[in-house]
Amino acid sequence: MSHDAPYKGLTRFASLVSLMVALVLVGVKVWAWIATGSIALLTSASDGLVDVLASLVTLIGVRYAGRPADNGHRYGHGKAEAVAAFVQALLLGGAGLVLGIESIERLINPQPLADLGLGIWVIIGSSLAALGLVLMQTYVVKRTGSTAIAADRAHYVTDVAVNIAVLLALVFENNFGWARSDSIGALLISFYMIWNAKGMALDALKQLLDRELDITDRQRIRAAVLGCPGVSGVHDIRTRNGGDRVFVEFHLEVDGHLSVDIGHDIGDVAEAAVRQLFTAADVTAHLEPAGIDDERLDNLLK
């Protein structure tokens, strides 16, 4: 039984706002880097440029994932969100690696900075804008469960952390004259970008490789099915995350003497009970007489 995932308009709106904010922030940070010469500001601007590309990828991925199922994609197009998230991870990791190398070079050969006051105010404003965007995206993820928006939010959580690191570096250099604090801050930021990219890539691969939902969700599914009237047992539960929804299949055991109509009604109730557990789910029950001796996936996996 298939149902279109709700709140598609909300994910599109969130991805569009993210793109516009990213464009503004990267422009402001590039201007501040040119004015100050700060490698930490350059790191933050580069991270912002990655955010622009990532937000664009997210916008495309969300729009494609929102397409309904068709003859060529009967499970829908939800995995486009996982592809978008994986591309974001590659962009973020690559930028972190390049900036880390540049930071080490600047650490060895420090350079004087100019107009640090301007840089400090730019970073404060950027931090507030990024924080507001993260709060908006958190709301959208809670309502929709969107993988692509969650990955985009991870970018902006990184952006907030990056801005704080840049702010501290500029304050230390401006107030205490620590010539290498700018380079140290940039190096720490690059390490964090690479670490964050790794987590994003692993999360995306779980969906792309059809990894089962975690044990807690599977236990909730089993309990919901067994709690339905007329159900004698359940086995061979298979699950996967499709990006815009989860897919759940299971073999439902009922009294073999029941009519097909009654057994079908029990199956409908069990499917509905499982759908209630998730924001969006496509649930399929395969009806079987209780006690049947057949080859089971559960036994093969054991």
Side-chain angles (χ1 to χ4, degrees):
M1 190 178 295
S2 179
H3 293 266
D4 289 336
Y7 309 122
K8 290 298 180 184
L10 191 58
T11 57
R12 293 192 192 101
F13 171 77
S15 58
L16 187 59
V17 170
S18 173
L19 179 59
M20 291 189 296
V21 170
L23 283 169
V24 172
L25 290 181
V26 73
V28 171
K29 288 177 182 178
V30 167
W31 167 64
W33 163 64
I34 293 173
T36 64
S38 166
I39 184 64
L41 267 173
L42 174 60
T43 305
S44 184
S46 300
D47 180 61
L49 180 59
V50 173
D51 288 340
V52 171
L53 297 175
S55 295
L56 184 59
V57 169
T58 299
L59 182 61
I60 295 171
V62 165
R63 289 182 66 86
Y64 185 81
R67 294 182 179 182
D70 54 35
N71 286 330
H73 304 84
R74 298 201 176 194
Y75 284 102
H77 300 78
K79 282 196 176 181
E81 293 198 4
V83 174
F86 190 73
V87 171
Q88 290 182 49
L90 294 179
L91 292 171
L92 188 62
L97 183 61
V98 172
L99 291 168
I101 295 172
E102 177 66 22
S103 300
I104 292 173
E105 194 279 331
R106 188 71 74 90
L107 187 62
I108 297 172
N109 301 300
Q111 299 179 15
L113 305 183
D115 204 357
L116 290 175
L118 171 65
I120 290 172
W121 281 111
V122 165
I123 286 299
I124 291 175
S126 298
S127 300
L128 293 175
L131 181 60
L133 188 58
V134 167
L135 293 175
M136 183 271 290
Q137 290 174 323
T138 299
Y139 169 78
V140 173
V141 171
K142 286 183 178 179
R143 294 290 300 273
T144 67
S146 170
T147 304
I149 299 299
D152 206 34
R153 179 184 59 179
H155 267 290
Y156 286 100
V157 170
T158 301
D159 203 41
V160 172
V162 165
N163 288 338
I164 292 174
V166 173
L167 180 61
L168 290 175
L170 294 180
V171 168
F172 282 140
E173 181 138 350
N174 186 53
N175 295 343
F176 303 105
W178 294 1
R180 287 182 171 83
S181 60
D182 180 60
S183 303
I184 293 172
L187 187 60
L188 292 176
I189 291 165
S190 66
F191 285 150
Y192 181 72
M193 290 167 69
I194 294 171
W195 176 80
N196 204 33
K198 175 186 174 183
M200 290 167 57
L202 291 177
D203 285 342
L205 285 174
K206 287 180 181 178
Q207 291 186 27
L208 294 174
L209 299 178
D210 285 338
R211 184 177 178 86
E212 286 281 336
L213 300 183
D214 62 41
I215 188 64
T216 301
D217 282 332
R218 289 175 56 82
Q219 289 173 343
R220 291 169 62 218
I221 291 169
R222 180 177 295 276
V225 173
L226 293 176
C228 297
V231 174
S232 300
V234 60
H235 62 270
D236 288 0
I237 298 174
R238 296 197 298 176
T239 62
R240 65 183 180 89
N241 192 333
D244 61 341
R245 74 194 77 182
V246 297
F247 290 89
V248 181
E249 301 175 15
F250 53 87
H251 288 217
L252 186 68
E253 302 172 34
V254 300
D255 185 347
H257 297 94
L258 296 176
S259 68
V260 174
D261 286 342
I262 295 176
H264 182 269
D265 290 341
I266 295 173
D268 282 347
V269 172
E271 290 175 351
V274 174
R275 281 196 299 273
Q276 293 298 317
L277 302 176
F278 303 97
T279 302
D282 194 313
V283 185
T284 304
H286 173 71
L287 208 62
E288 289 187 358
I292 187 174
D293 185 15
D294 61 352
E295 189 176 81
R296 296 187 177 186
L297 177 62
D298 289 344
N299 295 333
L300 293 175
L301 294 177
K302 290 179 182 178

